């Protein structure tokens, strides 16, 4: 298992702070990934190679979301993997930075030989015609973009449920809140375990210093906070190696409890 960089996002500060005071923010952020009034969270796509599968967890942003993201094709090529070598593309959720990279500039599926897999609750939410009307206005383009891509992937896309073993050594674990059907994945090989958390723990500063705070990035902030606190407690307790899509250091590391907050130790 390795991670490949899809580049990074460029977000305004307000995207992460929500109800926090400016002074709290300064204390929490310290030396975090701040640049001139914004944040540049990395995007880490996981590549898993087994005896008979080459699996991507999420597909990155593609060329249509942000100019700083959509670098996955270059990273794959540098790793010696051709898009047609990918056998499975497994989605944590259907936000643009995770889904939109499935199509090329001609709207053709990039991973032409791959089976695409998405959690059933997540697929139902983004294909529900009501979603574009009920989602927050700033996310309406996410809904239209997800629906269009899901449509164009067509019958390459299949669903799975919570707890399902979707591939040998890959078990789905529902971690809702960031999106209604957000999925994490427990990878196991022998005794070794790796937990892919997607965006259920979305950054290594506010989410670790104040995990119980409602995060503006989460579509259901209350459920998102419950999920985050439970995951952090479990992963820190078990010292499980984790991979976070937007966490620093290539996204691979371990959480540790640090009094009433948590720390991220990359590596
Ligand atoms: Zn994301």
């Amino acid at each position: 298992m390795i991670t490949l960089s899809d580049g990074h996002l460029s977000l305004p500060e307000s995207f992460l702070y929500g109800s926090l005071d400016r002074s709290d923010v300064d204390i929490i952020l310290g030396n975090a990934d701040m640049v001139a009034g914004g944040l540049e969270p990395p995007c880490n796509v996981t590549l898993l190679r087994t005896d008979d599968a080459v699996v991507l967890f999420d597909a990155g942003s593609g060329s249509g979301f942000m100019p700083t993201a959509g670098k996955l094709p270059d990273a794959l090529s540098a790793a010696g993997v051709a898009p047609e070598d990918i056998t499975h593309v497994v989605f944590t959720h259907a936000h643009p930075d995770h889904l939109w990279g499935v199509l090329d500039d001609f709207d053709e599926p990039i991973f032409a030989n791959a089976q695409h897999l998405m959690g059933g609750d997540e697929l139902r939410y983004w294909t529900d015609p009501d979603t574009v009307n009920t989602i927050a206005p700033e996310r309406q383009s996410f809904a239209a973009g997800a629906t269009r891509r899901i449509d164009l992937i067509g019958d390459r896309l299949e669903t799975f449920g919570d707890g399902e073993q979707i591939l040998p050594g890959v078990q789905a674990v529902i971690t809702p809140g960031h999106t209604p059907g957000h999925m994490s994945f427990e990878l196991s090989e022998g005794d070794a375990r790796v937990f892919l958390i997607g965006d259920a723990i979305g950054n290594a500063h506010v989410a670790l210093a104040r995990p119980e705070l409602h995060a503006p990035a989460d579509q259901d902030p209350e459920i998102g906070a419950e999920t985050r606190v439970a995951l952090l407690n479990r992963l820190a307790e078990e010292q499980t190696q984790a991979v976070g899509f937007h966490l620093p250091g290539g996204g691979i590391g371990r959480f540790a409890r640090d009094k009433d907050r948590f720390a991220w130790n990359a590596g």
Side-chain angles (χ1 to χ4, degrees):
M1 186 273 309
I2 60 170
T3 58
L4 300 170
S5 174
D6 189 47
H8 63 83
L9 303 182
S10 297
L11 303 174
E13 293 173 328
S14 58
F15 191 75
L16 291 170
Y17 302 167
S19 56
L20 280 177
D21 289 341
R22 180 76 227 186
S23 55
D24 282 344
V25 168
D26 288 342
I27 292 166
I28 290 169
L29 281 179
N31 294 324
D33 47 356
M34 284 288 299
V35 282
L39 288 147
E40 295 196 337
C43 299
N44 309 298
V45 175
T46 299
L47 177 74
L48 174 69
R49 279 181 269 215
T50 67
D51 287 345
D52 40 28
V54 184
V55 187
L56 269 186
F57 290 89
D58 291 328
S61 291
S63 57
F65 185 48
M66 286 186 185
T68 56
K71 315 295 183 196
L72 178 64
D74 296 342
L76 277 170
S77 157
V81 180
E84 50 271 26
D85 295 340
I86 303 293
T87 59
H88 301 81
V89 182
V90 182
F91 300 104
T92 57
H93 63 299
H95 274 166
D97 50 325
H98 302 255
L99 171 67
W100 287 16
V102 291
L103 300 179
D104 66 16
D105 291 342
F106 304 97
D107 278 353
E108 296 290 338
I110 290 184
F111 307 106
N113 298 322
Q115 181 183 41
H116 295 59
L117 291 156
M118 185 180 289
D121 290 349
E122 187 73 2
L123 183 71
R124 270 188 292 282
Y125 175 73
W126 294 105
T127 51
D128 181 341
D130 273 350
T131 294
V132 75
N133 303 314
T134 53
I135 199 168
E138 67 273 18
R139 291 196 177 97
Q140 276 176 345
S141 66
F142 292 13
T147 308
R148 194 168 80 79
R149 283 159 183 85
I150 287 165
D151 218 36
L152 286 163
I153 306 169
D155 56 13
R156 287 181 172 83
L157 182 63
E158 290 181 26
T159 59
F160 57 89
D162 179 31
E164 203 170 303
Q165 171 119 345
I166 55 174
L167 290 163
V170 180
Q171 187 173 24
V173 181
I174 195 156
T175 45
H178 183 69
T179 59
H182 185 284
M183 286 283 186
S184 298
F185 302 96
E186 189 163 62
L187 312 188
S188 51
E189 194 182 353
D191 287 344
R193 296 248 182 293
V194 180
F195 199 86
L196 307 187
I197 51 186
D199 285 10
I201 301 167
N203 62 71
H205 32 79
V206 179
L208 303 193
R210 305 282 298 276
E212 75 289 354
L213 276 185
H214 289 184
D218 291 344
Q219 288 191 211
D220 187 326
E222 190 160 342
I223 295 176
E226 279 171 27
T227 294
R228 185 163 50 249
V229 168
L231 264 184
L232 281 167
N233 279 319
R234 176 185 154 188
L235 294 172
E237 172 110 354
E238 295 174 354
Q239 276 299 292
T240 310
Q241 189 176 46
V243 182
F245 193 88
H246 296 299
L247 297 185
I252 303 176
R254 285 182 166 79
F255 296 101
R257 184 181 291 284
D258 180 8
K259 299 196 183 77
D260 59 345
R261 50 163 70 190
F262 293 88
W264 170 249
N265 301 312

